Amino acid sequence: FESIVSFMQGASWGLVIIGAYLFFTLFYSFGLIIALIGGFFGASIGLFMVIFFEMAHIKQEMHKEKIKHTALLEQMVELLKSK
């Protein structure tokens, strides 16, 4: 699952670049300011996906840490029970 999330993060950054370039070139004929605004909106789709997959990665890391902490707490409980 971790490799899929990492791959999708990279693909999302690619979508940011492609979207910004595509919308910028599409709206450049209307003027530079309109093209910059269009580029921002084109990039925002990919940026949303980057944030989504980054949150998934963070949740996955939190889950791994919780598993480690649970194991440590169980060891501590066993140690305290044996005394």
Side-chain angles (χ1 to χ4, degrees):
F1 183 73
E2 186 175 340
S3 61
I4 293 172
V5 171
S6 179
F7 174 77
M8 292 305 290
Q9 277 180 319
S12 297
W13 278 112
L15 185 64
V16 168
I17 294 169
I18 290 171
Y21 175 76
L22 182 68
F23 276 77
F24 182 83
T25 56
L26 183 68
F27 289 113
Y28 188 68
S29 61
F30 298 112
L32 182 62
I33 301 298
I34 301 296
L36 289 173
I37 293 169
F40 173 74
F41 284 120
S44 65
I45 299 166
L47 287 172
F48 174 75
M49 297 301 291
V50 168
I51 291 169
F52 177 78
F53 288 115
E54 185 64 31
M55 287 173 50
H57 180 71
I58 289 170
K59 290 291 184 179
Q60 181 183 13
E61 291 296 321
M62 285 175 55
H63 180 69
K64 285 181 183 178
E65 287 297 319
K66 285 181 182 180
I67 290 173
K68 289 178 186 176
H69 290 191
T70 303
L72 288 173
L73 286 172
E74 288 174 351
Q75 287 177 359
M76 290 169 63
V77 167
E78 290 300 320
L79 184 64
L80 290 172
K81 283 183 181 179
S82 66
K83 286 186 176 183

